[in-house]
Amino acid sequence: MDNFYCASPWRGLHINSRGDIKTCCAGNPNMLGNLNDKTIEEVLNGPELGEVRDSLRQGKSHPYCFNCVNAEKNGASSERHWHNSINEFFDTTQAGDTYHYPTLLDIRWNNTCNLSCNYCGPYDSSLWSSIKKIPIKTNTRKYYEDVCDLIEKNKQHVKEVALVGGEPLLLPENERLLDVLPQDCVMTVITNLSNPLDNNKIFHKLAQRKNVGWSMSFDNIGDRFEYVRHGGSWDVLIRNLDIMQSIMKDPARKHWGGIHAVYNVYNATRLCELKQFANDRGLFIRWQNLETPPELNPRKFGKQFAELFANEIEKFFSMFDPSPEEISLFGESLQYYKSMTAVNEKSLLELKQFVSNIEDMYHPDTKGQFAALWPELATHLPE
């Protein structure tokens, strides 16, 4: 991409549950450093990030930027757009070679989560790490106070904060973070909405603030929701959604929200079902393409699945008034599906094995449910 620019390497801060520090969620987590080995200042002004800044000052993307470049090529919005939107007058060419201060924060203190969603894994879910017997500690990290101190020192610059997880409403570290952050900054919470909200301390702290956006992470409804978001209850989600929407209806609170959905095999033939649910509740849907696991990427399977997915997109376009984002993402996917002429047997075998692993090894209580809930897909899987 020509004239590629981004404020993130100067004014973003992202820390994932392993302690990898980046300047945005989309950045390559292996290129900057880990807070278990280095201080936050050492990483933010280290040679790895300096190399990224050098590329951007020349108007060129860097391998660190791969996920944003790829998302934009596929018609989706990117993290780069988000960072640039809140640093409106930022000029890459005049930014210098050192870190400025965080204007956008995304800190994931650890992987504590109550769900083992089928497309998630142990580094983002403590339940998955328990199921797979991968020892990942969920206790407070040693760098917790240093990070909070840096944020408090620069709190006047903080404009937006993304609370993510694990599940952010289950992370007690977010309690001090909420006390440190200025009251006028915008909060975006990405939550699975599967923990009862009535007695949740972090939720009640957020409910007392203004300018909070709720990004409710689910991609299917009813039984299909409970299959994909394993450990979740559709009834609990609906109860929580009622509470959330009652807050959003109060204009004094300035809360808003919608569904954060990942486009994948599990909803590629159920787009209309989810969209109708969202419309009935007065909610928008923000979509993103699936990156991992590859077995659930709807583009992989060739003609038979492509015809089903294309039919669903055409039905979606005919039934609803799609958003510009939906027109871009699904329109591009539709063209791709219509170009497919062969069946990808290898990918079908990989999906069959993936389903078998989920239902036989990891979530045995769901045995046989994929075939029952997605018969239009199951019928095309190899014997």
Side-chain angles (χ1 to χ4, degrees):
M1 288 185 179
D2 295 329
N3 199 26
F4 189 93
Y5 73 97
C6 181
S8 154
W10 287 267
R11 297 185 181 179
L13 180 60
H14 171 90
I15 303 170
N16 69 18
S17 60
R18 300 182 291 279
D20 296 314
I21 182 171
K22 308 179 286 182
T23 58
C24 69
C25 174
N28 186 330
N30 302 310
M31 295 189 66
L32 302 185
N34 186 285
L35 290 182
N36 292 297
D37 306 317
K38 297 180 180 180
T39 68
I40 190 168
E41 291 83 1
E42 287 173 334
V43 177
L44 292 175
N45 285 303
E48 295 87 355
L49 192 50
E51 181 183 301
V52 177
R53 293 185 188 117
D54 285 343
S55 289
L56 291 172
R57 280 202 301 269
Q58 299 172 53
K60 300 176 182 177
S61 66
H62 185 277
Y64 176 77
C65 312
F66 167 80
N67 286 321
C68 283
V69 171
N70 192 50
E72 291 171 29
K73 283 182 178 178
N74 287 322
S77 183
S78 71
E79 288 279 319
R80 181 174 80 99
H81 294 144
W82 188 14
H83 282 264
N84 289 341
S85 71
I86 69 166
N87 291 280
E88 184 179 359
F89 301 108
F90 179 81
D91 183 350
T92 304
T93 63
Q94 303 297 317
D97 58 4
T98 59
Y99 188 76
H100 294 177
Y101 41 74
T103 58
L104 196 159
L105 303 174
D106 177 352
I107 300 175
R108 311 176 187 200
W109 299 112
N110 61 57
N111 69 335
T112 299
C113 188
N114 60 319
L115 304 185
S116 53
C117 303
N118 289 0
Y119 53 65
C120 193
Y123 291 104
D124 295 306
S125 164
S126 55
L127 192 53
W128 262 124
S129 64
S130 176
I131 290 171
K132 292 192 172 184
K133 297 180 170 54
I134 298 174
I136 299 175
K137 294 181 180 179
T138 57
N139 58 313
T140 299
R141 307 302 197 230
K142 66 179 184 179
Y143 48 80
Y144 171 62
E145 295 294 344
D146 289 342
V147 172
C148 284
D149 288 345
L150 175 76
I151 295 168
E152 188 164 18
K153 178 182 176 182
N154 293 283
K155 64 182 181 181
Q156 72 272 22
H157 298 295
V158 177
K159 295 181 180 178
E160 292 198 24
V161 179
L163 293 187
V164 197
E167 168 50 48
L169 299 183
L170 293 179
L171 300 181
E173 294 87 346
N174 281 332
E175 292 191 51
R176 182 194 166 186
L177 183 64
L178 289 170
D179 292 337
V180 165
L181 291 167
Q183 285 293 320
D184 61 348
C185 72
V186 176
M187 310 288 298
T188 301
V189 187
I190 301 180
T191 173
N192 62 38
L193 210 63
S194 292
N195 303 282
L197 298 181
D198 304 81
N199 299 311
N200 186 283
K201 291 181 180 179
I202 297 168
F203 169 73
H204 285 289
K205 278 199 171 189
L206 287 163
Q208 298 308 309
R209 298 177 70 99
K210 295 181 179 180
N211 301 317
V212 180
W214 296 96
S215 190
M216 295 163 280
S217 184
F218 61 97
D219 337 274
N220 293 92
I221 68 172
D223 291 342
R224 279 178 281 276
F225 163 84
E226 293 183 355
Y227 180 92
V228 176
R229 300 296 179 124
H230 191 259
S233 162
W234 184 245
D235 289 340
V236 169
L237 184 140
I238 292 297
R239 164 63 181 155
N240 287 341
L241 191 53
D242 289 340
I243 294 171
M244 197 76 74
Q245 291 194 279
S246 70
I247 293 175
M248 293 179 200
K249 290 176 182 177
D250 181 353
R253 297 201 189 201
K254 297 181 181 178
H255 284 227
W256 69 94
I259 298 170
H260 188 144
V262 178
Y263 181 49
N264 65 89
V265 163
Y266 290 125
N267 58 31
T269 56
R270 307 288 171 163
L271 299 176
C272 296
E273 182 177 79
L274 182 65
K275 183 71 170 181
Q276 188 62 60
F277 172 82
N279 285 357
D280 290 345
R281 301 284 312 210
L283 296 169
F284 64 87
I285 305 177
R286 182 187 178 198
W287 294 93
Q288 71 178 76
N289 281 312
L290 178 86
E291 299 295 336
T292 59
E295 293 89 344
L296 298 180
N297 184 338
R299 291 174 167 240
K300 290 189 59 178
F301 301 98
K303 184 178 180 181
Q304 291 171 316
F305 275 25
E307 289 177 350
L308 292 170
F309 300 160
N311 289 341
E312 184 69 7
I313 291 174
E314 289 176 334
K315 181 181 175 184
F316 183 94
F317 284 163
S318 68
M319 286 180 60
F320 305 104
D321 181 18
S323 68
E325 180 187 49
E326 289 168 336
I327 292 171
S328 176
L329 191 153
F330 295 133
E332 197 276 338
S333 295
L334 181 61
Q335 290 183 359
Y336 184 84
Y337 294 142
K338 286 184 173 295
S339 72
M340 290 185 175
T341 57
V343 175
N344 189 332
E345 295 289 352
K346 180 175 181 293
S347 292
L348 292 172
L349 284 169
E350 290 171 348
L351 177 60
K352 181 181 179 182
Q353 186 61 55
F354 184 90
V355 171
S356 177
N357 290 344
I358 289 291
E359 296 188 356
D360 294 337
M361 291 198 307
Y362 302 131
H363 302 153
D365 58 311
T366 66
K367 181 70 174 177
Q369 288 187 23
F370 180 83
L373 295 171
W374 290 273
E376 71 279 8
L377 302 182
T379 189
H380 294 297
L381 295 182
E383 293 294 332

